[in-house]
Amino acid sequence: MAANLAIASSALSTLYRIVVYLFLEVAPVSKAKYVIPLLYLGYLLTSYFGAPAFSELVTLKEEVVTVEEEKSETNGQVVTDVTVQEATAVIPVVEPPTLKSALSIIIFSIPSPVRALRRANFLINTLLLLAVADFVFFPYFDSATDVVYTRVGAVYPDAAKIVVRYPAANATENLIRLVWRQKGGKNESEVPWREGPVANLTAERDWVQTVSLRGLWPSTQYEYRFEGLNSTLLPYPATPIHFHTAPDPRLHSGSHYRFIASSCMTPNFPYLPLQGRRIKGLDLLADYLWPSESHSTAPSLPTLLAQNVSSVVSSLAAKVTSSANSTSAENVTAPAENVTTPSSVASEKNVPPTEFMMFMGDFIYADVPIYFGDDVEAYRRLYRRNYNSPSFRKVYERLPIIHTYDDHEIINNYAGLGNTSLPPYPNATNAFELYNAEANYDPVDEGQYYYDFRYGEAAFFVMDTRRFRSDISSDEPSSHTMLGDKQLAALYNWLGKVNNTAVFKFVVSSVPFTALWTYEALEDTWAAFPYEKSALLSAFQSVPNVIVLSGDRHEFAVIEFAAGDGGHNVLEVSTSPMSMFYVPFIRTLKPRSEEVVNRTKEEVVKTEDGKEEVVKVTEEVPREKVLKYIAEGNYKWSTIEVDTRDYDHPVVRVETVIDGTPAYRLDVLGKPVKLQSTTALGSLMPESFRGVLDKIGLKPSRWF
């Protein structure tokens, strides 16, 4: 019996270690937090009652003893008589283990008579349990109630939204003033600070406030800091925070900039001991964006880039030149370039600045690895924890970030049914609104989380894919909606407005638009909403240069939606996670759809008399096709470079970085768009300047 328990102990210990590894390093599946303690308890019990069996696992050694005797005869002669006696002794001996066997015992929890090895196994399993407890409960105990931070959200040509959290001790409110000034010029240090809006921080709102700084100039650098109402400079931030206003889209002068797109992150996954606040994906992003300031002990990214930058720049230049000579410019996807050399191209003078980051949902994981409840504080704690991360601070203090939300800001696979009072939506969105949504661009409809904005010659529509989502288990599929009537109307209206007023149109969906993903596709993606998706796709394909950005799947893929004759192809770039798990070995993306579209192409054929003529041929192509799929990697983001300086050949360049290394590049050549513009001088004049003219007695409103 004891021997059987010893074997059971070994089996339970091995299974326990496998489950712990999967939970901490592969995927933090919620059910594992219940399985792991049970396995550990089973291991302890079987180890305790199986301990006597270890004393029997010894080597038996036999010894044989031979004895000689001498005898004398009575007649005086000596006779030697040898008598052999055998004595057998059985002696238990414990053989000392070799280094190889000792490692096998520790790694595979093999039963051992050596007490030190049994204790080592117990210590390892106990440390693993403590690691699980650290990962699961650290978010609860690390409440981050004292975190102080500020960041920039939406930036307009003449304004910016700024978030600040500054708790006050032994008080219920804290009034602080934002002061700002323009950067640049020879005597920048002599430029006076100007008083900005006052933030009214209260305990009720968790000491968070978003203020708007207005009266700014387009494409201009500014900096800000905070003071008390008595003009005393506050200790945070230690140095002023810088930001750059958006270009004026009415100038149509062409723009060249980059932005980051990704989603899904949680601190300290994959798990490392005593790293509860680290978000490694954001450390890698900071090194990518600002490599000269990296303090990593690994070989610096700029050094690695220097070995290959010439070839990369030459390749990009060749592609642009090729596109300039192309006769067809409509969503042509240039051959993708697989890159294996680390690159920090942000430092190169030919690469434009990164202006903002689009975070596409799952900013927190309210229910992974454990759900602490649906009260407001439970959700707010997770947002504070992220903003308390030194990894995230390196990014949000330098890069404006705008957000949408997905299910894990609420609970897994959440469908709102258009009911804003349905728990846990009210408390979950209270935290999302305070920390993220209020700093977004103003919503299309008041009180909603979907919004649109312009940046240069690109237009963006950010969807809310959770609040109005239908319950797909009821009613007919034709009645299922992802967006709801009001949001859908706003999206169609936006498409009509930007058709001839923007070159590139980015539609942001927190979940993939394609139906090629299989696992949990109906619970998450647009696959469960075929009628609404089909109608939207038709609308997208009636407008040139539409690119869908999505996240959620913890994988990367580029999907091409083929259009029929007269339509425009649509591209989807799906990127995640920013810093979270991916599932190895299992692949859930189909390479193409079974549904096809008919397209007409021209071919040159020879006639019977040997002449050549052009004929039209109809071909069938998949409606949805994968151009690139990369599942591996815990840390993924895509850099989207928008270049509209040449209106005849606009281009979007996609660079996807996985685990800190550029892994894929793609050029998307846009169709030229003749932008509608205004000739009114007043449309180019900031409101702040009009106000100055009004004060001196001039009335610009009469001029324009």
Side-chain angles (χ1 to χ4, degrees):
M1 180 65 179
N4 291 334
L5 287 174
I7 295 172
S9 173
S10 176
L12 286 172
S13 177
T14 301
L15 180 60
Y16 164 80
R17 293 181 183 184
I18 292 173
V19 175
V20 168
Y21 174 79
L22 294 175
F23 181 68
L24 295 180
E25 301 297 324
V26 179
V29 179
S30 295
K31 293 180 179 178
K33 63 180 177 286
Y34 304 113
V35 175
I36 289 171
L38 292 176
L39 288 174
Y40 180 78
L41 181 60
Y43 156 75
L44 286 183
L45 292 174
T46 53
S47 294
Y48 178 78
F49 291 108
F54 295 131
S55 62
E56 301 171 7
L57 301 177
V58 297
T59 301
L60 300 182
K61 181 178 180 181
E62 294 185 355
E63 289 190 358
V64 178
V65 180
T66 302
V67 180
E68 293 186 354
E69 293 184 357
E70 292 185 352
K71 291 183 179 180
S72 300
E73 294 291 338
T74 55
N75 57 7
Q77 293 182 348
V78 177
V79 178
T80 301
D81 186 5
V82 179
T83 302
V84 178
Q85 295 180 344
E86 294 183 355
T88 303
V90 180
I91 305 173
V93 177
V94 177
E95 296 286 349
T98 63
L99 177 60
K100 182 177 179 180
S101 63
L103 289 176
S104 299
I105 289 168
I106 291 176
I107 294 173
F108 300 105
S109 300
I110 298 172
S112 172
V114 181
R115 181 174 298 179
L117 294 178
R118 298 203 303 272
R119 289 178 175 175
N121 276 326
F122 170 75
L123 178 62
I124 290 171
N125 288 344
T126 302
L127 290 175
L128 289 176
L129 185 67
L130 292 176
V132 171
D134 178 37
F135 178 63
V136 170
F137 295 108
F138 188 88
Y140 180 80
F141 292 105
D142 184 34
S143 61
T145 54
D146 59 345
V147 61
V148 177
Y149 81 91
T150 184
R151 72 175 182 89
V152 178
V155 285
Y156 300 86
D158 60 350
K161 289 188 176 183
I162 296 170
V163 187
V164 59
R165 186 179 194 274
Y166 223 122
N170 303 319
T172 57
E173 70 174 3
N174 186 21
L175 298 176
I176 63 173
R177 184 186 299 279
L178 182 147
V179 293
W180 61 280
R181 68 181 181 182
Q182 184 176 332
K183 281 184 60 62
K186 295 181 179 179
N187 299 317
E188 180 179 307
S189 60
E190 299 178 3
V191 177
W193 290 91
R194 301 177 60 181
E195 291 188 347
V198 173
N200 183 14
L201 310 175
T202 64
E204 182 181 3
R205 287 176 52 88
D206 207 22
W207 306 104
V208 181
Q209 182 71 37
T210 298
V211 297
S212 293
L213 183 59
R214 304 185 184 278
L216 309 179
W217 289 90
S219 301
T220 305
Q221 292 281 351
Y222 292 92
E223 62 181 358
Y224 71 91
R225 61 190 187 188
F226 295 100
E227 295 179 349
L229 296 187
N230 60 357
S231 299
T232 302
L233 182 64
L234 297 181
Y236 176 83
T239 58
I241 303 295
H242 302 163
F243 68 92
H244 183 259
T245 50
D248 193 328
R250 297 165 294 186
L251 293 178
H252 300 326
S253 57
S255 54
H256 189 205
Y257 64 91
R258 305 191 306 171
F259 66 93
I260 303 296
S262 189
S263 67
C264 310
M265 71 179 189
T266 196
N268 199 23
F269 191 87
Y271 174 82
L272 283 176
L274 306 178
Q275 298 289 323
R277 294 178 178 175
R278 186 187 186 194
I279 306 176
K280 185 177 177 180
L282 293 170
D283 285 329
L284 295 173
L285 177 61
D287 292 344
Y288 171 84
L289 293 175
W290 307 291
S292 61
E293 300 175 19
S294 171
H295 301 288
S296 172
T297 57
S300 67
L301 292 176
T303 301
L304 295 172
L305 170 67
Q307 303 170 3
N308 297 275
V309 67
S310 298
S311 61
V312 172
V313 172
S314 300
S315 175
L316 291 176
K319 289 182 180 181
V320 173
T321 303
S322 175
S323 66
N325 297 325
S326 175
T327 58
S328 175
E330 179 191 339
N331 278 358
V332 179
T333 52
E337 184 177 282
N338 291 318
V339 181
T340 57
T341 304
S343 172
S344 294
V345 293
S347 63
E348 292 304 307
K349 63 180 180 180
N350 292 328
V351 175
T354 303
E355 298 290 4
F356 60 91
M357 179 178 181
M358 170 63 67
F359 202 91
M360 300 177 293
D362 291 345
F363 177 79
I364 64 168
Y365 276 75
D367 55 338
V368 177
I370 191 170
Y371 188 53
F372 289 109
D374 64 349
D375 61 284
V376 172
E377 174 58 20
Y379 286 103
R380 289 180 177 181
R381 184 191 303 117
L382 296 176
Y383 284 89
R384 293 196 301 264
R385 181 192 182 199
N386 280 358
Y387 283 106
N388 199 32
S389 166
S391 306
F392 194 23
R393 190 178 293 273
K394 288 189 292 187
V395 176
Y396 68 67
E397 287 186 343
R398 299 189 61 176
L399 187 67
I401 303 176
I402 51 180
H403 293 265
T404 186
Y405 70 110
D406 199 35
D407 56 339
H408 288 289
E409 278 93 346
I410 308 169
I411 198 168
N412 189 38
N413 294 333
Y414 179 79
L417 311 177
N419 183 359
T420 57
S421 62
L422 185 68
Y425 185 85
N427 290 341
T429 54
N430 172 278
F432 170 71
E433 191 162 331
L434 279 178
Y435 281 91
N436 288 352
E438 287 184 351
N440 289 336
Y441 290 89
D442 295 335
V444 177
D445 298 304
E446 187 176 355
Q448 305 296 332
Y449 295 134
Y450 54 89
Y451 57 93
D452 67 76
F453 66 97
R454 295 287 301 269
Y455 206 96
E457 283 74 32
F460 297 77
F461 190 99
V462 182
M463 297 188 286
D464 180 344
T465 66
R466 291 292 171 181
R467 182 173 189 171
F468 306 99
R469 181 185 290 234
S470 299
D471 180 1
I472 62 172
S473 63
S474 61
D475 301 325
E476 292 295 323
S478 59
S479 66
H480 293 169
T481 179
M482 174 81 82
L483 304 180
D485 294 340
K486 197 172 183 179
Q487 182 178 187
L488 198 59
L491 178 53
Y492 282 131
N493 185 50
W494 172 82
L495 279 172
K497 288 192 301 183
V498 301
N499 186 12
N500 294 311
T501 59
V503 178
F504 289 103
K505 298 88 177 175
F506 293 96
V507 180
V508 180
S509 172
S510 65
V511 296
F513 191 66
T514 181
L516 295 181
W517 261 293
T518 56
Y519 178 72
E520 287 193 346
L522 295 180
E523 290 82 359
D524 268 330
T525 75
W526 281 81
F529 307 89
Y531 293 91
E532 189 169 272
K533 175 192 168 184
S534 179
L536 266 180
L537 182 58
S538 297
F540 292 163
Q541 291 176 333
S542 69
V543 176
N545 308 329
V546 172
I547 299 175
V548 178
L549 303 176
S550 66
D552 179 70
R553 296 299 298 190
H554 296 209
E555 296 176 322
F556 166 76
V558 178
I559 313 294
E560 185 179 51
F561 298 84
D565 294 337
H568 309 284
N569 290 352
V570 171
L571 202 69
E572 178 178 4
V573 180
S574 187
T575 313
S576 61
M578 181 74 241
S579 194
M580 217 339 183
F581 73 88
Y582 79 96
V583 179
F585 308 119
I586 300 174
R587 300 295 172 256
T588 62
L589 186 66
K590 297 184 294 186
R592 62 187 60 83
S593 64
E594 296 180 0
E595 187 180 2
V596 298
V597 295
N598 294 322
R599 290 199 305 201
T600 302
K601 66 177 183 178
E602 294 183 347
E603 290 186 355
V604 178
V605 298
K606 288 187 177 182
T607 60
E608 294 180 355
D609 56 2
K611 295 181 179 180
E612 292 185 347
E613 66 178 23
V614 178
V615 298
K616 293 184 177 181
V617 178
T618 301
E619 63 174 350
E620 290 185 345
V621 297
R623 179 175 290 276
E624 302 179 28
K625 181 178 67 175
V626 175
L627 299 183
K628 187 65 177 180
Y629 175 43
I630 306 176
E632 297 82 3
N634 292 103
Y635 319 105
K636 303 186 186 80
W637 66 84
S638 288
T639 302
I640 314 295
E641 180 181 338
V642 180
D643 189 351
T644 58
R645 292 172 297 177
D646 183 350
Y647 275 101
D648 291 328
H649 305 94
V651 61
V652 163
R653 300 182 181 93
V654 179
E655 179 178 67
T656 299
V657 181
I658 298 179
D659 295 341
T661 301
Y664 177 74
R665 290 193 181 103
L666 177 69
D667 285 1
V668 184
L669 310 183
K671 181 180 180 180
V673 177
K674 187 176 181 180
L675 299 178
Q676 297 176 353
S677 59
T678 176
T679 58
L681 180 60
S683 68
L684 308 179
M685 183 179 296
E687 291 296 327
S688 58
F689 185 59
R690 295 190 192 191
V692 172
L693 295 179
D694 283 336
K695 289 181 179 180
I696 63 176
L698 300 177
K699 303 296 181 182
S701 58
R702 298 177 182 176
W703 307 347
F704 313 112

